[in-house]
């Protein structure tokens, strides 16, 4: 069994490891905070709205293109409000360009990845909240890499703004030109970077020019089950979807697959999820990776069905995606279909996730931020 080290839920809590964070960016501040900073720089407060409109409203991240700002002011404002947070390393694409994975280098050399997925009716981006992950789930490439550090609010938001710009450019053929959904399912455990993730959500849903103007109901926050943080999220007056990475209905197996289960058992995690659903009215998404001969037995489907029957929940079965050196494989399709049948017979809404991005290691559990993936880039990135 993998033993999980003690990891503070709140990065600002006593005992949390301090890491060198990037310079302050406008996305770290609300509009009032930006106005205050601009005024302290000796500029008129309305400049904060101008630069925010470029960034959030027009998805312009290059200060040189903000030509309505006076040349004399532009450099000073850009230095204080638009420092470079994400340096592009590589962009890969598959699914005829509908799935695109971006690899970024941060100011301290850390690497993170984010993924854009285009569909006929929506554009979704999967963003990272940490460089690496400290949860140590053995079937996940990110978890095996360990945690480097938490991302800042702006580092999180900037991934979404960049990929929203990609969608707006028309590069994702067959999809709408506007980003509509954001899932916190990239690298890291979002609720282990609680304060910055919640602030990032508020930036994503605030109307432009304060934020990106997305619907709260189109934001999904994934967690392996940090119970205190789930309860805290329920009190935030947000209508985001909670996605619980369960992966096993019994403590014996979940202790191994999701080591944080050694601290909060299945019943505690599910109780927290039901409390979240009751407080927000939002259906909880139960994420379950189908692993051959590990968690795909019929009796586990039946147990999961009993745990979820009558609850405001939906099961999202995920065919296990291959990762280097993994000893596990995806469940065969007949086994998967029988698992689905048993859950549905128990009255539990169940679907199988469309595995997008496998060819570029961009699918669920594959993000490892490897600088040399051995895959030819799909094109040059600009940031």
């Amino acid at each position: 069994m993998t033993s999980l080290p003690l990891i503070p839920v709140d990065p600002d809590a006593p005992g949390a490891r301090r890491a060198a964070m990037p310079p302050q960016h406008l996305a770290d501040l609300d509009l009032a905070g930006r106005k205050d900073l601009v005024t302290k720089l000796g500029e008129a407060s309305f400049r904060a709205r101008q630069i925010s409109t470029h960034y959030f409203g027009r998805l312009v991240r290059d200060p040189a293109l903000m030509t309505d700002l006076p040349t004399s002011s532009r450099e000073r404002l850009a230095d204080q409000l638009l420092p470079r947070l994400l340096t592009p390393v590589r962009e890969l694409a598959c699914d005829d360009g509908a799935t695109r994975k971006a690899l970024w280098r941060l100011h301290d050399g850390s690497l993170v990845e984010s993924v854009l997925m285009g569909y006929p009716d929506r554009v979704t981006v999967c963003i990272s909240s940490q460089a690496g992950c400290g949860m140590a789930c053995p079937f996940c490439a990110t978890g095996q890499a360990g945690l480097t550090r938490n991302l800042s609010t702006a580092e999180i938001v900037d991934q979404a703004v960049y990929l929203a710009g990609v969608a707006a450019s028309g590069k994702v053929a067959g999809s709408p030109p506007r980003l509509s959904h954001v899932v916190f399912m990239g690298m890291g455990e979002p609720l282990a970077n609680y304060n910055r993730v919640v602030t990032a959500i508020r930036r994503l849903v605030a109307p432009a020019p304060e934020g990106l103007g997305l619907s709260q109901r189109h934001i999904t926050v994934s967690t392996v089950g940090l119970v205190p943080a789930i309860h805290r999220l329920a009190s935030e007056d947000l209508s985001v979807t909670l996605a619980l990475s369960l992966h096993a209905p019994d403590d014996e197996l979940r202790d191994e697959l999701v080591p944080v289960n050694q601290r909060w058992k299945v019943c505690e995690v599910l109780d927290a999820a039901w409390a979240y659903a009751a407080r927000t009215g939002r259906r909880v998404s139960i994420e379950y990776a189908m692993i051959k001969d590990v968690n795909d037995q019929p009796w586990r489907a039946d147990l999961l069905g009993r745990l979820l029957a009558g609850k405001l929940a939906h099961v999202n079965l995920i065919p296990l995606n291959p990762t280097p050196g993994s000893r596990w494989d995806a469940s065969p399709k007949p086994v998967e279909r029988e698992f689905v049948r048993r859950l549905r017979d128990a009255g539990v809404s169940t679907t199988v996730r469309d595995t997008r991005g496998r060819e570029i290691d961009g699918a669920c559990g594959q993000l490892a931020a490897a600088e040399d993936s051995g895959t030819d880039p799909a094109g040059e990135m600009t940031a």
Side-chain angles (χ1 to χ4, degrees):
M1 182 186 300
T2 304
S3 179
L4 185 73
L6 183 64
I7 300 171
V9 170
D10 188 333
D12 301 315
R17 183 173 66 86
R18 301 289 177 178
M21 299 303 286
Q24 184 174 256
H25 184 281
L26 71 82
D28 291 311
L29 305 168
D30 60 16
L31 190 56
R34 296 169 213 161
K35 289 180 178 179
D36 183 59
L37 178 56
V38 165
T39 301
K40 289 177 180 177
L41 293 173
E43 299 285 345
S45 63
F46 72 85
R47 297 295 182 201
R49 178 174 288 272
Q50 277 185 297
I51 198 168
S52 297
T53 297
H54 279 295
Y55 182 78
F56 281 116
R58 299 170 186 162
L59 309 175
V60 173
R61 300 163 71 251
D62 183 355
L65 301 178
M66 302 179 183
T67 54
D68 60 341
L69 296 173
T71 304
S72 59
S73 303
R74 197 181 307 158
E75 184 175 346
R76 181 167 63 254
L77 291 171
D79 285 345
Q80 295 297 317
L81 288 170
L82 289 172
R84 174 68 69 93
L85 299 180
L86 307 177
T87 298
V89 176
R90 184 180 61 248
E91 183 172 317
L92 305 175
C94 64
D95 302 321
D96 295 323
T99 304
R100 309 175 75 93
K101 182 177 76 167
L103 173 66
W104 308 101
R105 191 187 317 282
L106 309 182
H107 80 288
D108 59 354
S110 301
L111 297 172
V112 298
E113 292 179 320
S114 39
V115 182
L116 178 151
M117 294 162 286
Y119 301 90
D121 61 339
R122 68 191 187 280
V123 174
T124 299
V125 297
C126 176
I127 58 178
S128 296
S129 55
Q130 297 178 311
C133 182
M135 297 296 106
C137 299
F139 57 91
C140 174
T142 313
Q144 291 307 290
L147 176 64
T148 301
R149 68 167 174 87
N150 290 322
L151 301 190
S152 70
T153 294
E155 286 174 321
I156 297 168
V157 172
D158 205 31
Q159 298 170 63
V161 171
Y162 169 82
L163 291 172
V166 173
S169 73
K171 290 182 179 178
V172 188
S175 296
R178 175 171 167 77
L179 170 67
S180 55
H181 292 68
V182 172
V183 296
F184 284 79
M185 293 182 174
M187 300 177 69
E189 162 57 50
L191 296 189
N193 190 11
Y194 186 91
N195 287 341
R196 297 182 183 100
V197 164
V198 168
T199 304
I201 293 170
R202 298 197 188 281
R203 296 289 176 274
L204 294 173
V205 303
E210 182 153 1
L212 206 50
L214 302 181
S215 167
Q216 291 188 27
R217 292 175 174 268
H218 291 172
I219 307 288
T220 298
V221 178
S222 176
T223 180
V224 294
L226 305 187
V227 167
I230 294 173
H231 287 301
R232 188 177 172 190
L233 186 64
S235 69
E236 294 284 355
D237 195 28
L238 292 169
S239 298
V240 300
T241 297
L242 180 72
L244 175 60
S245 296
L246 193 65
H247 304 309
D250 55 302
D251 287 322
E252 182 179 6
L253 179 58
R254 194 167 192 266
D255 281 351
E256 178 182 357
L257 295 182
V258 187
V260 78
N261 200 73
Q262 297 165 37
R263 294 171 63 185
W264 296 292
K265 298 301 184 183
V266 169
C267 63
E268 296 174 88
V269 172
L270 288 177
D271 283 347
W274 308 147
Y276 183 87
R279 180 71 179 267
T280 63
R282 301 290 291 154
R283 185 174 69 171
V284 175
S285 179
I286 303 295
E287 310 292 299
Y288 197 102
M290 293 291 289
I291 309 174
K292 180 180 179 181
D293 299 330
V294 174
N295 66 348
D296 60 355
Q297 298 85 355
W299 72 265
R300 283 197 162 95
D302 294 339
L303 175 55
L304 184 61
R306 290 194 297 273
L307 291 173
L308 304 186
K311 302 297 184 181
L312 193 60
H314 172 88
V315 174
N316 200 359
L317 294 181
I318 308 167
L320 184 72
N321 292 303
T323 57
S326 174
R327 69 180 190 273
W328 290 322
D329 199 356
S331 302
K333 287 301 177 182
V335 173
E336 179 185 281
R337 287 192 290 270
E338 176 64 11
F339 208 92
V340 170
R341 185 190 68 79
R342 287 173 178 266
L343 287 174
R344 289 177 177 169
D345 284 351
V348 178
S349 173
T350 305
T351 54
V352 178
R353 178 180 291 176
D354 177 24
T355 53
R356 296 279 293 270
R358 277 187 173 185
E359 298 92 333
I360 55 174
D361 293 335
C364 182
Q366 291 187 313
L367 298 186
E371 192 160 4
D372 181 10
S373 69
T375 307
D376 291 330
E380 295 299 320
M381 290 178 61
T382 56

